[in-house]
Amino acid sequence: MSKIIILNGPNLNLLGEREKEKYGNITLKDIEASCKEYAQKNNIILSLFQSNIEGELVEEIQKSRNNQDGLIINAGGYTHTSVAIHDALKILNIPIVELHITNIYNREDFRHKSLISKTATGIICGFGSEGYVMALKGMVNYLK
Ligand code: CA2
């Protein structure tokens, strides 16, 4: 059984409430339910964590170094700014998937730079909320 954690950063708790044209009308709860269903069917022990606070995300990443086999992260706006999250991810010896709902490369210039990408085994972006289950599938395959 693989242990995988999905981390979500700032504002992603508001999915489905605002900016639906960009992020869709599916809530984070819906996304998490789909991921849990996929995990159950595929023998994955899944942990889910969302925070709007950079330090809490850093703490959770640090904890993952000893008890997870893979980490999936949508760091939200911190993707483009957080050296602390980059540094925490660098410490890990497990595969990392960087995930974005939108294609950050066809949006504003300031979203084109990701501090996460260099630490990532793979990246999924632009497939909407479907990307979460895609990331899980990719991770499971990679861990085999
Ligand atoms: O496309 C993604 O998944 C992003 O990581 C989402 C972040 C954005 O800063 C990144 O550049 C790309 C923003 C998440 C904000 O989510 C909201 C959800 C509902 C209402 C408002 C914002």
Side-chain angles (χ1 to χ4, degrees):
M1 269 205 167
S2 302
K3 293 186 77 180
I4 299 174
I5 185 164
I6 301 180
L7 301 180
N8 278 293
N11 298 312
L12 289 158
N13 55 314
L14 298 182
L15 283 175
E17 273 184 35
R18 298 189 183 184
E19 300 203 52
K20 294 184 189 176
E21 64 299 337
K22 249 185 231 120
Y23 300 114
N25 47 19
I26 293 184
T27 66
L28 188 58
K29 276 217 160 77
D30 295 332
I31 290 172
E32 290 184 344
S34 311
C35 290
K36 280 181 193 165
E37 192 186 326
Y38 182 85
Q40 247 178 4
K41 287 183 182 153
N42 290 277
N43 279 335
I44 299 164
I45 301 169
L46 182 67
S47 304
L48 297 155
F49 181 80
Q50 188 277 331
S51 177
N52 295 323
I53 300 166
E54 187 177 19
E56 287 187 357
L57 291 162
V58 169
E59 294 266 359
E60 210 55 39
I61 294 166
Q62 286 188 10
K63 279 192 227 156
S64 301
R65 77 187 186 280
N66 296 323
N67 65 7
Q68 298 292 342
D69 299 312
L71 180 145
I72 296 167
I73 181 163
N74 183 349
Y78 288 142
T79 303
H80 318 293
T81 62
S82 178
V83 174
I85 289 177
H86 163 93
D87 290 347
L89 290 170
K90 281 282 276 188
I91 292 163
L92 301 184
N93 281 321
I94 57 174
I96 295 166
V97 174
E98 175 181 359
L99 169 66
H100 301 287
I101 295 167
T102 59
N103 178 352
I104 56 174
Y105 299 101
N106 68 12
R107 297 187 62 190
E108 303 96 319
D109 287 356
F110 67 84
R111 294 186 205 275
H112 297 178
K113 179 147 190 69
S114 163
L115 301 186
I116 311 282
S117 297
K118 269 218 161 181
T119 71
T121 306
I123 302 168
I124 290 176
C125 76
F127 291 101
S129 53
E130 276 292 303
Y132 283 83
V133 171
M134 291 171 77
L136 265 179
K137 282 185 189 166
M139 181 65 86
V140 167
N141 232 23
Y142 188 83
L143 288 172
K144 270 182 193 161

